[in-house]
Amino acid sequence: NDRLLNNTDARVYDRVYYLLGRYKDPHYRCRGLGIAAFGANQYTIQQMLGQEIGTRITVIRRPQGGTAITILYRIEGIEQRFERGQLVHTRFALSTAPAMDYWMVAGAIGDEWAANAVLGTTTILAF
């Protein structure tokens, strides 16, 4: 079927080498990030309330005696706990985000999808 994404050996090899390059080396992973509101400043409270699922965030971990580790994550879930009407805790479920986001526009000139792949008309370039 020519509508499949991996319909040639070359495309399969491209996908394999992409996945190999992305996952061959071990990475630091943080499944979640919790923030307590008690004693937090206004900026921190705004960050706790202002995030959305899908937002990319940067987490910087500073191990004692070591160098800072900076990792990009995507927020996959948000859990907030309130007591007596006040926010007391926010937990973000995280997944490692790729260094760059991208997507492939399906549709070559002349095929049935080409009308849906016109940059600035039917497709908006955004981050």
Side-chain angles (χ1 to χ4, degrees):
N1 185 344
D2 64 347
R3 303 298 294 172
L4 298 175
L5 291 176
N6 296 318
N7 61 355
T8 67
D9 288 346
R11 286 186 179 181
V12 171
Y13 286 125
D14 286 345
R15 181 75 175 154
V16 166
Y17 287 116
Y18 165 76
L19 292 172
L20 180 64
R22 182 155 181 211
Y23 296 112
K24 70 180 174 102
D25 297 319
H27 298 279
Y28 290 102
R29 289 186 175 88
C30 176
R31 293 189 177 144
L33 175 67
I35 305 171
F38 180 75
N41 61 30
Q42 183 177 352
Y43 174 78
T44 302
I45 299 294
Q46 288 173 346
Q47 291 299 312
M48 292 169 70
L49 293 172
Q51 301 304 324
E52 297 180 6
I53 293 176
T55 300
R56 289 170 54 116
I57 63 170
T58 302
V59 174
I60 301 172
R61 180 174 182 257
R62 293 183 178 90
Q64 187 174 10
T67 58
I69 301 166
T70 302
I71 306 172
L72 293 173
Y73 289 99
R74 184 173 309 283
I75 295 175
E76 297 289 335
I78 301 171
E79 176 185 322
Q80 294 179 321
R81 197 172 71 227
F82 293 82
E83 290 180 10
R84 296 188 185 114
Q86 292 185 332
L87 176 67
V88 294
H89 190 267
T90 297
R91 178 167 172 75
F92 299 113
L94 304 174
S95 65
T96 307
M100 294 186 306
D101 280 337
Y102 62 90
W103 61 286
M104 183 176 73
V105 176
I109 295 174
D111 79 5
E112 64 184 284
W113 297 100
N116 297 316
V118 180
L119 188 59
T121 303
T122 55
T123 300
I124 299 171
L125 183 61
F127 176 76

